[in-house]
Amino acid sequence: MRLRNRGRIHSLRWRLLAGIGAAVLLIWLLTGWFSYTKAQHEAEELMDGSLAQTARLLLAITHDNEDDLAELVPRLATVRGAEDIYEPPLEFQIGLGDGRVLARSPDAPEFPILGVAGYSDIIRHNEAWRVLNAVSTDGRYRVQVAQAIGLRDRAALEVATQTVLPLLFITPVLIVLIYLSISRALRPLEQLADEVAARTPDSLDALTTNRVPTEARPLVVAINRLFGRVARTLDNERQFTADAAHELRTPLAALKVQAQVALLSGDTPMREHALQQIAGGVDRASHLVDQLLRLARLDPLSSPPEIRSLDPEALLLDSLNAVRQAHPQATQQMLARIPPGAQALMGDGDLLGIALRNLLDNAVRYTPPASSIRVELAQAHGRCDLRVSDNGPGVPPAALARLGERFYRAGQAAGKGNGLGLAIVARIAELHGAQLSAENLPGGGFAVTLRGLQTQHPDEQSDKTD
Amino acid sequence: MRLLLVEDDTLLGDGIRAGLMLAAYAVDWVPDGKQALLALADHSYDACVLDLGLPGKDGLTVLREMRGRGDQTPVLLLTARDTAEDKIAGLDHGADDYLTKPFDLGELQARIRALLRRAGGKAQPLLEHCGVSLDPASKRVSFNGQEVPLSAREYALLHALISQPGHIKSRSQLEESLYAWGDEAGSNTVEVYIHHLRKKFGADFIKTVRGLGYQLADKNG
């Protein structure tokens, strides 16, 4: 289960863990950034408030005390703060409404006090400073207060760190807990894998679904369905192999026995009879092998080897002629009927020819002399049916449903045919998307129909000429 | 000795019948289970060669039905399936022996001889009575150590009598062991062959039991 190839992680556990870990890290960084900016904003407002208060205090002190200002400045130097982050340096300038500076702290910025009243940010001594210009209510005095804003950023950083730091310790614990719970959640899957791995190729019974998690149930149901199909296929294969063994051994046994009779018999007519039987038996065995090989080649296909447009008249007449040649002594009357203006068929000419020949061959074999056999084509709604019918004795009704089964022989076919002809026809019909149906006709007789073959669309008819 | 052959395959059936006729058995051949049961009910056979894979009633069903009605005819099964289950099922349904296709004609004949021998309650392959000894394997007959040439019909008649020496066999029973269906039997052929055998082994060798049939002479007689 834990396959890791070409650098991609295939383990669900590690994928979940990596995903959740990344999400936790992202949330952690976002929380840090958010608390930092929020804290910075709060500190800024706090600082602006304190600057405004200081400015108003200076204005109040200055009012009507212009003469004492020279004395006041050194004393005010003590409020300029220390090199402490919570008492950052504070500089000020005091002047008249017209912009004349009356007093200033020693390190006050060279920034005119006559500017617009309000806050501004400046850079001095490679540090960011916040400057506030204020005017007294009567407009007689102006005050400028400036303070380094390093505090603001440092305070914000501190607040953010305090928020984020506990998460740094919680995260590993969280990851371990998530890992454990993922492992626990995946345990049924591992048990399922063990159960499948412990199976022998023969044990194809369904997996139990009651302890499987809901998410994995579709998989288990699909596996069970596959198991069922494989088991059925295996059964069919076994049945087919057993049947094929039976069908091949019987003619071989017959050939051997006949050959031994020929060897042992001192009687010439008896030996000649046995030799003739051998010749006939070899023909029959090679026909059986041909049919078996044909089925074996058709079995793995999922569609006909080639689909072409076929002239129905040529298809029917060729099959009829081939069967007439194979049974020169047949006395049955054989005829083909094709409606005028029949459209071309779509399919594999070789396979459909084999199907028709098999059906006609059966009809010749199992109808009495002078019966009539007909092969016909019927078309409707872009589909067509091929049908071979006779006026012979038909097939026992109980056998009708089993006719397409391999090696199944019904009625008088027992002991003569090999039971593969109709199975081949059924397979060819299936490959062409058609249905095979066999029925006894009401007035006596038997018919087999390949139903629902495709015909060529009339628009494509022009292609047929080349 | 008369055998019933049940085989649906025309070529194999024809071959087995010819092969068994070469061994001087009278063989009736039927192609399916229904006819096999009818034939078994109507005639008495010394053994039956039964194919398992038959159309309609299969070999096992035939076997079960004939054993069910108390028919003790020895049965040799022919099967194309060579799994142990098939053989076990066949033997457990009352078969006496089986052969897997394809088989050797000589082996089939030998197994039938063994079946007939066991049915007659003997383990000895040679059948002997009053100085006459018959070897079913080589089809040779000797009288007091001297080999006696016999025709196929004479051999078949002697075989029928000597396999159960104490029993009285009716004329029709003997006729059945000489001729399969379709063979033409004259009205007095059994008498003709009895006469031939008496000429070869002495007039007392076969006794006529009036109204019942024929019997071999008593051992000490």
Side-chain angles (χ1 to χ4, degrees), chain A residues 239 242-243 245-246 249-258 260-261 264-266 270 273 277-278 280-282 284 409 414-415, chain B residues 7-19 21-22 51 53 55 79-82 100-106 108-109:
Chain A
Q239 185 60 42
D243 287 345
H246 178 262
R249 275 181 176 145
T250 302
L252 286 180
L255 289 177
K256 185 163 181 173
V257 167
Q258 293 282 6
Q260 286 175 327
V261 167
L264 291 173
S265 169
M270 195 175 183
H273 173 77
Q277 293 282 58
I278 292 174
V282 170
R284 217 184 74 193
R409 280 164 288 215
Chain B
E7 171 59 63
D8 62 316
D9 187 276
T10 45
L11 192 60
L12 182 59
D14 179 84
I16 295 176
R17 187 174 62 158
M21 274 159 60
L22 281 177
D51 187 17
T79 162
R81 305 183 200 275
D82 55 358
T100 310
K101 294 178 194 173
F103 49 83
D104 191 274
L105 184 58
L108 176 69
Q109 291 171 346

Side-chain angles (χ1 to χ4, degrees), chain A residues 311-318 320 335-345 375-379 385-386:
Chain A
D311 176 11
E313 194 173 335
L315 179 72
L316 264 59
L317 291 181
D318 286 352
L320 213 53
L335 50 101
R337 221 175 62 175
I338 301 146
Q343 281 160 13
L345 274 172
V375 51
E376 54 200 318
L377 178 94
Q379 283 185 332
D385 299 346
L386 280 175

Side-chain angles (χ1 to χ4, degrees), chain A residues 236-237 240-241 243-244 247 287-302 351 354 358 403-408 418-431:
Chain A
N236 286 347
E237 287 293 311
F240 181 72
T241 315
D243 287 345
E247 298 298 326
H287 178 64
L288 170 63
V289 171
D290 283 348
Q291 299 273 62
L292 273 175
L293 286 177
R294 191 163 283 149
L295 258 186
R297 286 197 204 103
L298 290 177
D299 266 343
L301 300 180
S302 53
L351 292 186
I354 288 170
N358 268 305
L403 275 184
E405 282 179 31
R406 292 171 184 198
F407 300 120
Y408 180 75
N418 56 31
L420 289 177
L422 267 181
I424 290 173
V425 178
R427 183 72 187 120
I428 291 173
E430 192 185 351
L431 286 176

Side-chain angles (χ1 to χ4, degrees), chain A residues 18 30 95 137 145 159 167 233-235 238 250 258-260 294 300 340 361 398 416 426:
Chain A
L30 279 174
T137 38
V145 201
V159 170
L167 281 177
T233 310
L234 274 181
D235 276 352
R238 280 195 200 112
T250 302
Q258 293 282 6
Q260 286 175 327
R294 191 163 283 149
D361 194 74
K416 287 195 217 157

